[in-house]
Amino acid sequence: MRKKKPSSFNEKTLLNRLLKNYALILVTLILIGMVSIGMNTYWQSMGRGEITAQEAVDTIARSINDKNIQGKTMLNGLTDNQEKINNLNRYMDEPISNYLNYSYDQQLATGNYLFLPGQVKNFYTMYDNIDSIIMVLNNYNDYYLSTADDKSGKKIRGTPRLNNKFYLSYPITNPVTLEVLGSFYVEFSQKDIIDSLTHLTTFDGLSAYVFSSTGYQLLTYTEKNNTLDQQLIQQKMKETSLLPIQTLAQTNLLEHLQTTSGFDILVTVSKHQILTHVFFDLRILMIGGLGLILLLLYLLYRTFTKYSQQVDIIMDSMTLVTKGDLNTRINEQDTQFELRELSKGINTMLDNIEQYIADIYKLEIKQQDAHMRALQSQISPHFLYNTLEYIRMYALSEGSEELADVVYAFSTLLRNNTDQAKTTTLEKELSFCEKYVYLYQMRYPDRIAYHFEIDDALKKLVLPKFSIQPLIENYFVHGIDFSRNDNAISVKAHLSNNQVKVLIRDNGKGISPQKLALIDTKLQSEQIELHGSIGLQNVNERLRAYFGPSFLMTIRPNETKGIAIELSFDDSFSKTEIEYNNSQTSSQ
């Protein structure tokens, strides 16, 4: 017994192709899952970014509105009547000592104590978000400045500098004449706005810009140093006094709001930062997915390699057999489970082959060549039937009744095909067709249904072999859709008004009206030339020759969009069972 070292992984074996396919499917599914989760996370992050931008705009707008109300309230407290306007002019016009005396005199005369430094100082007590207050009157060269460090304030010569500060400005008007007397500026702290923006998002990339109605930049907030966007905004505002909304929207999620009070609020969230955040969040998923892929590939390789090595042992032995070494046997100890049983079956088959060869050799010596060739022609079919019966019995012994039924059906079909008889009964023909459909049903479980029905009076009706099977085969070749699970075919044979009718119906793809009309025309003619319909041509010619002019084949669409084929002929043209038996005897 020759023993060959098994190959590790033969690329040509079906098993290893299946391994590659399974590995590819698993890797593809895992990658699709990872990509789906990644895309879902990305779009969720983009959604959160849009919500964050909108919330940031709303937060800034609310804060500016609150500050605007505070500023108007403070200005109203200083300028809501003529007496207070006069008080402002006195403060700007006189030294502080004279202004103080004026305030005392006014208190004695009116009962109201109007002292500008004291009023402004109270504003810092009322509102904790004020950094400074500036008042500029048109008729004076000095302006008033109050800061958090010097709340009482003082007059300063020149023009106030408002750069890089969050100032809200209001016109100072005379309540009587409505004349604009100057401007009132309140510098608010940015801390509350910045604190609110900081807690809005879990990822970096948020930027916020606030501009006054005159284009003055009141607020700039960025979580990351976004120099390019800042430079672009400043350049466009300087050139056109318009924000570059479309340019910024290419790389950012963007929200823009123009308030009724004239402020421009722009909030951007960097798409690049969102993508970076997504990759950071998915790092564990990507590492885990890669690890899972490698683990599955390793386990599949280990499992299939061992199985493949056993298959290779069998294949190597069979290769030697094909080369003529019939003494080769498979070492059953090197295989396991079903492969061991298969090895036993092959070894038994090789033993039988050797025995058959020995028997044939002996017969060659004792018999004439013609008789010997006739005997040899019988060996292959009978051996195949015996082998199939062995497989069927083995399947039954292993409890696989379904496999045994399949083998039995196939064996029956094989016997019918190798039988030399030219005719058969309708019952046997339909039984043969039923087994043919049954094998398709086993190949495609839960996708094909069939129904065969025959009148008792027609069971012994004699007709040519393979009269109905080609019509059913046409359905499986051209009409069935294996992606569906409701495929159905039925065959019904019955007597109607002394006419034998065999109806074959399916719910397949059907035939176009043009092609159906052409087929009907050809079926009615004496010479049938149905290109692409060889099965129909063969059946029609054979049955017409057998049953005479009464035979008619019609094809039409049915209610299920499939086709219905009807074979009909007079009952008087059907052969008797005695004639059938005689034909069987003569064929033998």
Side-chain angles (χ1 to χ4, degrees):
M1 182 181 297
R2 181 182 301 174
K3 181 177 179 181
K4 186 177 180 180
K5 184 178 180 180
S7 59
S8 59
F9 222 65
N10 190 344
E11 295 290 337
K12 297 182 179 180
T13 61
L14 176 61
L15 182 66
N16 295 321
R17 292 183 181 180
L18 290 175
L19 169 60
K20 289 184 177 181
N21 291 337
Y22 292 154
L24 181 61
I25 291 172
L26 288 175
V27 171
T28 301
L29 290 176
I30 294 173
L31 291 178
I32 290 175
M34 292 173 61
V35 171
S36 299
I37 294 173
M39 292 300 296
N40 182 60
T41 303
Y42 173 73
W43 288 116
Q44 285 183 352
S45 298
M46 292 290 284
R48 291 202 308 270
E50 292 177 353
I51 294 173
T52 298
Q54 183 61 54
E55 290 179 349
V57 168
D58 295 340
T59 299
I60 295 173
R62 286 195 302 269
S63 179
I64 291 177
N65 185 61
D66 294 341
K67 289 177 172 56
N68 198 31
I69 293 174
Q70 293 176 17
K72 290 181 179 179
T73 302
M74 288 185 284
L75 177 62
N76 189 56
L78 298 176
T79 63
D80 61 349
N81 57 50
Q82 188 63 47
E83 183 181 1
K84 292 181 180 180
I85 295 296
N86 294 335
N87 181 63
L88 288 180
N89 288 322
R90 279 301 186 103
Y91 177 83
M92 299 300 295
D93 192 44
E94 298 181 355
I96 188 63
S97 57
N98 293 341
Y99 172 71
L100 184 58
N101 291 332
Y102 168 78
S103 297
Y104 286 146
D105 292 340
Q106 286 297 108
Q107 182 182 16
L108 294 175
T110 63
N112 295 326
Y113 181 65
L114 298 177
F115 183 64
L116 179 62
Q119 290 177 291
V120 173
K121 190 174 182 179
N122 289 335
F123 292 153
Y124 288 96
T125 304
M126 294 171 59
Y127 308 111
D128 59 357
N129 59 348
I130 301 175
D131 286 344
S132 66
I133 297 175
I134 297 176
M135 284 187 292
V136 179
L137 297 180
N138 298 335
N139 297 329
Y140 300 96
N141 294 326
D142 297 337
Y143 67 92
Y144 172 78
L145 173 62
S146 170
T147 64
D149 297 330
D150 183 13
K151 296 181 176 62
S152 296
K154 57 186 176 182
K155 291 184 289 184
I156 300 176
R157 174 84 46 186
T159 302
R161 296 181 179 180
L162 307 177
N163 295 337
N164 300 321
K165 295 182 180 180
F166 193 87
Y167 276 103
L168 298 185
S169 64
Y170 310 90
I172 301 175
T173 59
N174 189 313
V176 178
T177 63
L178 300 181
E179 177 187 1
V180 177
L181 303 177
S183 298
F184 179 74
Y185 301 93
V186 182
E187 180 192 355
F188 289 97
S189 172
Q190 301 179 13
K191 185 177 183 303
D192 57 337
I193 297 178
I194 293 175
D195 289 344
S196 299
L197 295 177
T198 303
H199 294 89
L200 276 179
T201 180
T202 57
F203 45 81
D204 298 330
L206 178 68
S207 299
Y209 310 90
V210 179
F211 294 87
S212 67
S213 58
T214 59
Y216 178 75
Q217 189 167 345
L218 300 177
L219 172 68
T220 300
Y221 167 81
T222 57
E223 291 184 346
K224 288 289 185 182
N225 187 15
N226 198 349
T227 306
L228 294 179
D229 284 353
Q230 291 183 43
Q231 291 177 350
L232 176 64
I233 292 171
Q234 292 172 359
Q235 179 183 354
K236 290 296 182 181
M237 289 296 293
K238 187 178 297 183
E239 294 174 355
T240 63
S241 298
L242 297 174
L243 291 170
I245 302 297
Q246 293 182 349
T247 304
L248 292 173
Q250 295 176 3
T251 56
N252 299 275
L253 298 176
L254 185 144
E255 288 291 337
H256 176 227
L257 175 66
Q258 288 183 319
T259 66
T260 55
S261 54
F263 295 99
D264 262 346
I265 303 174
L266 176 65
V267 174
T268 63
V269 180
S270 172
K271 294 180 181 178
H272 175 72
Q273 291 295 330
I274 293 177
L275 188 60
T276 302
H277 179 77
V278 169
F279 277 118
F280 182 79
D281 286 347
L282 294 178
R283 65 192 188 283
I284 297 178
L285 173 66
M286 290 187 289
I287 295 174
L290 180 61
L292 179 60
I293 290 174
L294 294 177
L295 178 61
L296 287 175
L297 291 178
Y298 173 74
L299 293 177
L300 281 174
Y301 179 81
R302 287 290 302 271
T303 302
F304 277 83
T305 298
K306 188 174 182 180
Y307 195 90
S308 178
Q309 289 173 348
Q310 298 180 45
V311 172
D312 287 344
I313 293 174
I314 299 175
M315 292 178 61
D316 292 341
S317 300
M318 297 309 298
T319 300
L320 294 176
V321 172
T322 58
K323 293 180 179 180
D325 187 359
L326 296 180
N327 293 322
T328 299
R329 295 294 182 272
I330 301 172
N331 188 352
E332 299 173 5
Q333 301 302 319
D334 293 338
T335 56
Q336 296 177 334
F337 306 112
E338 69 276 7
L339 294 182
R340 176 172 293 182
E341 297 300 326
L342 180 61
S343 300
K344 291 180 180 179
I346 293 175
N347 287 340
T348 302
M349 181 179 64
L350 291 174
D351 291 339
N352 291 337
I353 290 175
E354 280 193 327
Q355 184 61 44
Y356 287 137
I357 292 175
D359 292 342
I360 292 172
Y361 180 73
K362 293 176 182 180
L363 289 174
E364 284 181 346
I365 298 175
K366 297 180 181 179
Q367 298 179 358
Q368 297 179 355
D369 292 342
H371 181 65
M372 179 189 66
R373 286 193 297 271
L375 181 60
Q376 286 176 326
S377 67
Q378 297 297 317
I379 292 177
S380 295
H382 286 298
F383 171 69
L384 188 56
Y385 302 150
N386 292 339
T387 303
L388 289 174
E389 183 63 14
Y390 167 76
I391 295 174
R392 187 178 78 87
M393 295 305 296
Y394 179 75
L396 288 173
S397 68
E398 291 294 320
S400 182
E401 297 181 359
E402 186 174 292
L403 176 60
D405 292 339
V406 171
V407 173
Y408 175 73
F410 177 71
S411 176
T412 303
L413 292 181
L414 190 62
R415 288 180 183 274
N416 189 73
N417 286 344
T418 57
D419 187 5
Q420 300 301 316
K422 296 181 179 180
T423 57
T424 185
T425 64
L426 181 59
E427 181 181 21
K428 291 182 179 181
E429 177 73 9
L430 291 186
S431 176
F432 169 73
C433 294
E434 187 173 2
K435 289 180 174 59
Y436 178 82
V437 178
Y438 170 76
L439 290 178
Y440 264 99
Q441 188 184 57
M442 297 307 296
R443 287 179 60 191
Y444 303 95
D446 301 326
R447 296 188 184 182
I448 303 172
Y450 63 90
H451 177 71
F452 285 71
E453 182 179 340
I454 180 173
D455 287 352
D456 291 339
L458 297 178
K459 289 184 177 181
K460 301 303 180 181
L461 172 66
V462 179
L463 73 167
K465 286 184 64 176
F466 303 107
S467 297
I468 299 176
Q469 186 271 341
L471 305 180
I472 296 176
E473 183 177 2
N474 267 351
Y475 165 66
F476 286 98
V477 174
H478 303 291
I480 195 169
D481 184 357
F482 290 108
S483 63
R484 294 167 45 185
N485 57 7
D486 61 344
N487 296 288
I489 185 170
S490 68
V491 180
K492 182 178 181 181
H494 64 283
L495 277 172
S496 177
N497 298 325
N498 294 324
Q499 278 251 322
V500 177
K501 293 184 180 293
V502 180
L503 181 63
I504 303 166
R505 300 173 69 250
D506 64 66
N507 64 346
K509 300 176 182 177
I511 303 176
S512 65
Q514 296 80 3
K515 187 175 180 180
L516 191 59
L518 177 63
I519 292 176
D520 284 338
T521 302
K522 296 297 183 179
L523 286 176
Q524 303 303 322
S525 66
E526 293 296 326
Q527 293 183 349
I528 301 177
E529 296 179 1
L530 298 177
H531 299 289
S533 302
I534 303 302
L536 292 174
Q537 177 181 0
N538 182 278
V539 170
N540 189 62
E541 290 180 344
R542 292 173 63 214
L543 293 181
R544 179 186 290 173
Y546 191 82
F547 291 112
S550 69
F551 173 78
L552 179 64
M553 176 189 291
T554 58
I555 305 175
R556 63 181 185 276
N558 58 33
E559 65 276 9
T560 62
K561 298 183 179 180
I563 63 170
I565 303 176
E566 185 178 77
L567 311 178
S568 63
F569 52 88
D570 291 341
D571 184 35
S572 59
F573 283 91
S574 61
K575 300 289 185 68
T576 65
E577 186 176 6
I578 296 176
E579 292 175 317
Y580 167 71
N581 291 332
N582 291 338
S583 66
Q584 292 287 82
T585 302
S586 62
S587 66
Q588 295 175 359

